[in-house]
Structure formats: structure tokens, C-alpha cells
Amino acid sequence: MVEAHLHAGQFLTLFIIALALGLDAFSLGLGIGLKGIRLLDILKLGVVIALFHVIMPLAGIYTGQYVGVLLGDVATVAAGILLVLLGGHMIYSSLRGDAVQSFDHKSLWGLLLLSLSVSIDSFSVGITLGMFAANMWTTILLIGLLGGLMSVLGLMIGRKVSGNLGEYGEAVGGGILFIFGILFIF
């Protein structure tokens, strides 16, 4: 019974982290969707973002497992500091207002660059989760699925709604990662 609670707790933690990472893709989707986007482009961008949200944390997990073996007990504090820095950076960039949406999402390079830009934080989180020996497949599938779904949701909502709401999604995602980092440190 205790083990079931531990698995449920780990899944909930991973789900919240995946949701926080997906908020960045959601905010990007809102920004692009507000400019107008075709349904086929929504599908392409959603799939590529989902793939990047699988590849990046997978690479991060392998890196984190290696670093975790090297660092031992220091790994937990290092992982917490990494999440605090990542969350703080996400909050700062959302307040600063630099828009990644200026790239042409229809070109191959634009598509890859946009997908990488919202998935790079998944690499850092993957490093952190690799240090904690989180279930790798659950982690990458949750992050990939939610990253892709949230980007498509943002694109669809942005397509239907006018106004600039995208900056808040990144700030909320950064706040969640920041809080998890503080909890890992203490």
C-alpha cells in the first residue's frame, strides 16, 4: 500500500513538472496562434514539439544519471538549484517580454528552432530527474505528451482568441519549477 502511494506521488510530481514544461509550449502556441495559423501547421508544430519534449528530457535523464553517480548526495541539492535557476530564468524571460514568435514556423529551420526553444528546459529537468532515478519512460512520455498537447491547445486557443496571453503561461511554468527546486533543496 505504501509503495502504491509512493508511485502515485511520483507520478503526480512528474505530471506537474510535465505540465509546467508544457506551459512554455502553450505560451508559444498562443503567440503563434494569435498571428493566425493553418490547422496543418498546428499539427506539424504540435508533433515536432512533442518529439523534442521526448528527446530533450531523455538526453537529460541519461546525463543526470551519470552526474548523479558522480555526485552522490550532492546531486539532490544540485538538482534543486538547477530547477530554481531554470524556473527563475523562465519567469525573467516572460517579464522581459522577448518573443520567440518572430521565427517563421512554416520553414524547417523555424519549426526546429521553435521546438528546440520550448524544449531546452526539458533537458535541464531531465538532468534533475535522472539524478533522482525517476521512471524514465513515464517521465519522457508525460513530458512529450503534455508538451505536444499544450502546444496544440495554445495554437488552437490563440487562433480563436485575440490579445496577448502567452507571457503568463511561461511565468506560471517557471514559478512551478522554481517551487519544486526550493523543495528539492530544503
Side-chain angles (χ1 to χ4, degrees):
M1 184 68 150
V2 172
E3 189 172 318
H5 287 300
L6 290 175
H7 287 298
Q10 182 185 33
F11 181 81
L12 181 60
T13 300
L14 292 175
F15 183 81
I16 291 170
I17 288 172
L19 190 63
L21 292 171
L23 284 173
D24 200 17
F26 178 79
S27 66
L28 173 84
L30 275 174
I32 292 174
L34 289 170
K35 293 179 177 183
I37 186 169
R38 297 178 326 166
L39 290 175
L40 181 60
D41 290 333
I42 289 174
L43 181 64
K44 282 195 293 191
L45 196 55
V47 168
V48 175
I49 287 174
L51 287 173
F52 271 77
H53 269 77
V54 168
I55 293 168
M56 297 302 286
L58 183 60
I61 286 172
Y62 283 124
T63 304
Q65 288 172 344
Y66 178 71
V67 170
V69 169
L70 291 177
L71 295 178
D73 293 335
V74 178
T76 303
V77 175
I81 290 170
L82 189 61
L83 281 178
V84 166
L85 292 173
L86 178 62
H89 175 68
M90 286 173 69
I91 293 168
Y92 173 73
S93 67
S94 74
L95 294 175
R96 204 174 73 210
D98 286 345
V100 182
Q101 292 87 349
S102 61
F103 294 104
D104 180 17
H105 63 276
K106 295 175 188 170
S107 72
L108 176 63
W109 289 112
L111 179 67
L112 294 176
L113 191 56
L114 287 172
S115 298
L116 180 64
S117 71
V118 297
S119 303
I120 197 74
D121 51 351
S122 298
F123 177 78
S124 302
V125 171
I127 290 174
T128 303
L129 295 173
M131 290 180 196
F132 287 114
N135 183 302
M136 180 178 68
W137 293 111
T138 302
T139 302
I140 62 169
L141 290 176
L142 268 176
I143 291 173
L145 180 66
L146 285 176
L149 287 176
M150 302 244 343
S151 66
V152 168
L153 182 63
L155 289 163
M156 296 295 285
I157 290 173
R159 187 172 184 240
K160 297 282 183 197
V161 179
S162 63
N164 188 6
L165 304 173
E167 63 194 47
Y168 299 111
E170 186 176 10
V172 170
I176 291 170
L177 293 179
F178 189 86
I179 290 169
F180 270 105
I182 295 293
L183 292 174
F184 288 163
I185 292 170
F186 299 107

